[in-house]
Amino acid sequence: LRRLEKVRKDFVANVSHELRTPLTSIKGYVEALLDGAKDDPEEAARFLGIILKQSDRLNLILEDLLQLSQIESGQVLFKRDPVRLSTVVDRTLSLIKPLADKKGHTITVSLSPDLPPVRGDEERLGQVLTNLVDNAVKYTPANGSIHIAGQVTDSAGREEVELTVTDTGLGIPDADRPRVFERFYRVDKARSRELGGTGLGLAIVKHIVEGHGGRVWVEGNEPIGSRFVVRLPTASSKSHQV
Ligand code: ADP
């Protein structure tokens, strides 16, 4: 019980801190405008731009928090349809391709042709892949390679589909790997913020994957980068949903 209480307190402290940063910035720029910056049109426009950006950031954090809390509270029931990964991949790519192109990344996909459908919620699984590929794009310096692969594996006699997202980016130090799935945990806070991160994306991924009876983890990619691995039960395997 005491541990739970500590987790809850830490969480509230983290949320407060995350919200305070953009809010402090907004307040500072509003005050500067009132103090006179409003009379200089160029400066006023610049300050308003910053205020807009910080408000967007507040919005993003709140949206992610809301989503996470809905998933955690079990308010969101995942569908349990047969889902083809090729559909999920196509959908994700159409969303992310423009961002990847902008950074000069190459995205390749290889899905094994006999890939059976998984059991789950197409939209939520799309969110999992989108968060993973979005991170790969963000944390890989320009002109990198991102590879999405899907294959069948066997885990203790249970057929599973393994989906991996591999990048040639910054990589994640060994010690941080298990922790990146925690809410607000970031290897480099400043960089994450700069890239528009909320620190909640992987926590959402983990919840969705586990809600599908699956597992997710991250490995190092050789010689550089990261590989995120998602294992999901196939639609024909005996159901085992949490
Ligand atoms: P964020 O909004 O900060 O990206 P996430 O929960 O999606 O939050 O990821 C948590 C942290 O894990 C990131 O801040 C980053 O340090 C690390 N991370 C996630 N994906 C990658 C990746 N593909 N390469 C390197 N680091 C990553």
Side-chain angles (χ1 to χ4, degrees):
L1 206 64
R2 213 174 273 154
R3 206 186 70 82
L4 269 183
E5 179 64 8
K6 180 171 176 342
V7 169
R8 198 188 62 82
K9 276 197 182 136
D10 287 352
F11 180 59
V12 172
N14 277 334
V15 171
S16 312
H17 176 78
E18 294 298 328
L19 296 177
R20 188 176 302 128
T21 313
L23 211 50
T24 305
S25 160
I26 291 172
K27 185 166 149 52
Y29 284 104
V30 169
E31 281 169 358
L33 281 166
L34 290 174
D35 277 353
K38 67 177 182 315
D39 301 324
D40 174 345
E42 229 167 75
E43 197 160 59
R46 196 167 67 80
F47 287 6
L48 288 169
I50 297 173
I51 291 171
L52 181 62
K53 201 168 150 213
Q54 296 295 333
S55 327
D56 286 342
R57 177 157 177 78
L58 275 180
N59 235 332
L60 208 67
I61 298 173
L62 287 172
E63 262 171 38
D64 277 1
L65 272 174
L66 194 64
Q67 216 170 69
L68 194 61
S69 93
Q70 279 173 347
I71 296 173
E72 283 186 344
S73 69
Q75 275 175 39
V76 182
L77 285 184
F78 297 131
K79 291 185 192 147
R80 311 181 58 194
D81 304 328
V83 177
R84 290 164 51 88
L85 280 191
S86 54
T87 316
V88 175
V89 170
D90 288 348
R91 232 215 248 188
T92 301
L93 284 185
S94 64
L95 275 175
I96 306 247
K97 190 83 179 20
L99 290 174
D101 286 348
K102 223 168 140 187
K103 279 190 82 173
H105 292 326
T106 312
I107 303 189
T108 49
V109 179
S110 69
L111 296 181
S112 92
D114 58 348
L115 205 60
V118 297
R119 180 197 307 284
D121 192 314
E122 188 173 296
E123 188 143 339
R124 294 289 164 179
L125 293 173
Q127 196 178 359
V128 166
L129 190 63
T130 304
N131 286 1
L132 294 179
V133 180
D134 186 48
N135 279 346
V137 169
K138 280 194 308 193
Y139 297 108
T140 301
N143 306 317
S145 309
I146 296 165
H147 185 61
I148 302 172
Q151 60 187 48
V152 193
T153 62
D154 186 88
S155 161
R158 198 160 71 118
E159 194 183 47
E160 289 182 331
V161 164
E162 181 176 278
L163 179 69
T164 57
V165 177
T166 308
D167 65 54
T168 54
L170 304 172
I172 301 173
D174 274 6
D176 293 305
R177 279 184 203 147
R179 301 206 61 192
V180 291
F181 296 95
E182 293 173 16
R183 307 148 164 160
F184 296 123
Y185 190 84
R186 286 168 285 197
V187 178
D188 180 342
K189 281 216 174 209
R191 188 188 308 260
S192 157
R193 280 222 185 92
E194 201 182 299
L195 296 168
T198 62
L200 293 170
L202 289 178
I204 293 174
V205 163
K206 185 167 196 251
H207 265 91
I208 296 177
V209 171
E210 290 183 351
H212 279 77
R215 284 170 296 150
V216 59
W217 66 91
V218 61
E219 303 170 347
N221 179 45
E222 287 303 321
I224 48 165
S226 315
R227 174 180 300 107
F228 282 83
V229 184
V230 175
R231 290 261 184 102
L232 294 164
T234 59
S236 60
S237 64
K238 283 227 175 65
S239 81
H240 152 138
Q241 202 177 26
V242 184

